[in-house]
């Protein structure tokens, strides 16, 4: 600076919003610096600091979105992301696939999930979501969702909300996992235990058969249960018991 005959110097720190200094804006001059020049230096330095903070925020957001995309691609679960304020919702390609839809075919709002809940599960699931948003209770439910085909399958749904500084929920992220086979396995085991108990508590087959058939229909997703026995004298099959029941997945 002396070799270049500089006689004045001024510097202003580049301070981001969080109060952290990220650099210094400096100016050298061969003439004394006026107050207007110093004020201009401060204005430019602040603008540069804000620009740096914005750039870092954008980079952080981009990295976060890339990590989220990788997580979505690397899981067998279906991911959903609900903007509580606007009611808009994102459903990952896997989420849509689990419900039998091609990518981008599912509506991008919260009702796309709620409207597909089984009528017997809707109130319980909606109540669980509201308790999570208002009371911050953990949200994890097993429920039935309607597929594109119209059939229902069992899913486990979990979610976690985000609240702003005022305590208002602004976003909720979660996942669904198909647990139909697990539910049917549990049902088969329960049916076997129930049949064993019925046979142990009754002495007549005619008394136990209707109870057993009803239990099998309810637990094993049968719409109709029938028990036939052979009449040896007439050499024909004879209907001994008949049952109708609401299936596990209808």
């Amino acid at each position: 600076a002396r070799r270049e005959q500089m006689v004045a110097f001024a510097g202003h720190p580049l301070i981001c919003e969080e109060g952290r200094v990220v650099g210094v804006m400096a100016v050298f001059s061969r003439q004394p610096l006026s107050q207007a020049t110093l004020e201009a230096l401060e204005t430019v330095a602040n603008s540069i600091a804000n620009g740096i903070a914005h750039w870092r925020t954008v980079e952080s957001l981009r990295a976060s979105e890339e990590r989220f995309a990788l997580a979505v691609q690397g899981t067998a679960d279906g991911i959903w992301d609900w903007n509580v304020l606007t009611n808009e919702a994102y459903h990952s390609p896997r989420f849509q696939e689990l419900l039998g839809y091609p990518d981008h075919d599912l509506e991008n709002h919260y009702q796309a999930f709620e409207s597909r809940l089984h009528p017997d599960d809707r109130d319980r699931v909606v109540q669980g979501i509201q308790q999570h948003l208002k009371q911050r209770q953990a949200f994890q439910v097993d429920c039935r969702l309607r597929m594109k085909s119209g059939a229902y399958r069992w899913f486990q749904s979990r979610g976690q909300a985000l609240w702003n500084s005022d305590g208002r929920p602004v976003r909720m992220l979660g996942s669904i996992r198909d647990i139909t086979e697990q539910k049917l396995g549990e049902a088969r085991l329960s049916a076997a235990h129930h049949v064993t108990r019925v046979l142990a508590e009754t002495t007549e087959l005619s008394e136990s058969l209707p109870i057993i058939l009803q239990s099998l229909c309810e637990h094993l997703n049968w719409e109709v249960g029938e028990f036939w026995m052979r009449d040896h004298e007439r050499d024909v099959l004879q209907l001994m018991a008949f049952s109708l029941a609401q299936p596990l997945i209808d």
Side-chain angles (χ1 to χ4, degrees):
R2 184 176 300 173
R3 186 175 63 249
E4 298 295 331
Q5 299 181 345
M6 300 295 177
V7 298
F9 165 83
H12 194 282
L14 306 179
I15 304 175
C16 293
E17 291 181 354
E18 64 271 20
R20 186 163 54 92
V21 177
V22 296
V24 175
M25 179 73 177
V27 60
F28 292 86
S29 176
R30 294 188 177 90
Q31 299 176 357
L33 297 173
S34 65
Q35 184 62 34
T37 300
L38 296 177
E39 292 176 354
L41 173 63
E42 179 180 2
T43 300
V44 172
N46 289 337
S47 298
I48 293 175
N50 291 334
I52 292 174
H54 175 72
W55 175 79
R56 290 186 174 181
T57 299
V58 170
E59 286 298 306
S60 177
L61 180 60
R62 182 181 295 114
S64 177
E65 290 176 342
E66 290 175 352
R67 287 193 296 269
F68 180 73
L70 289 173
V72 168
Q73 295 173 8
T75 179
D77 294 354
I79 304 299
W80 50 268
D81 184 353
W82 173 32
N83 185 324
V84 181
L85 301 180
T86 66
N87 229 24
E88 294 177 322
Y90 163 79
H91 304 101
S92 71
R94 178 59 176 162
F95 183 105
Q96 300 185 61
E97 179 185 353
L98 286 171
L99 294 181
Y101 289 88
D103 194 10
H104 305 300
D105 202 32
L106 203 62
E107 306 94 323
N108 60 342
H109 51 70
Y110 166 74
Q111 283 74 20
F113 171 77
E114 184 176 322
S115 65
R116 287 171 173 79
L117 287 167
H118 191 283
D120 293 342
D121 299 337
R122 182 176 291 113
D123 290 346
R124 174 174 55 86
V125 175
V126 172
Q127 182 181 13
I129 293 175
Q130 292 303 314
Q131 288 177 339
H132 178 69
L133 295 177
K134 296 177 180 178
Q135 304 172 22
R136 306 199 180 191
Q137 296 182 10
F139 176 73
Q140 177 174 315
V141 296
D142 295 348
C143 59
R144 287 160 290 186
L145 291 172
R146 188 178 68 252
M147 308 285 289
K148 185 177 183 180
S149 64
Y152 283 91
R153 291 185 68 84
W154 278 97
F155 292 88
Q156 182 179 89
S157 181
R158 294 185 288 181
Q160 176 61 52
L162 301 174
W163 294 267
N164 61 17
S165 58
D166 297 326
R168 182 182 182 186
V170 295
R171 186 179 180 187
M172 188 170 177
L173 299 93
S175 65
I176 61 169
R177 172 177 297 183
D178 191 322
I179 58 170
T180 303
E181 294 306 316
Q182 174 187 328
K183 284 289 185 180
L184 292 177
E186 294 172 355
R188 286 190 289 267
L189 183 60
S190 178
H193 288 165
H194 188 253
V195 169
T196 301
R197 187 173 67 251
V198 170
L199 292 174
E201 295 174 351
T202 56
T203 57
E204 298 292 334
L205 185 61
S206 59
E207 179 186 354
S208 62
L209 279 179
I211 302 174
I212 290 174
L213 277 179
Q214 182 180 6
S215 176
L216 292 176
C217 287
E218 293 175 349
H219 287 87
L220 301 184
N221 199 31
W222 294 358
E223 295 183 2
V224 178
E226 298 178 347
F227 186 85
W228 297 75
M229 289 189 68
R230 181 184 177 187
D231 185 330
H232 291 279
E233 293 183 0
R234 294 186 296 169
D235 195 26
V236 295
L237 289 175
Q238 183 177 359
L239 180 64
M240 302 296 295
F242 175 87
S243 181
L244 289 173
Q246 178 72 19
L248 179 69
I249 301 177
D250 52 20

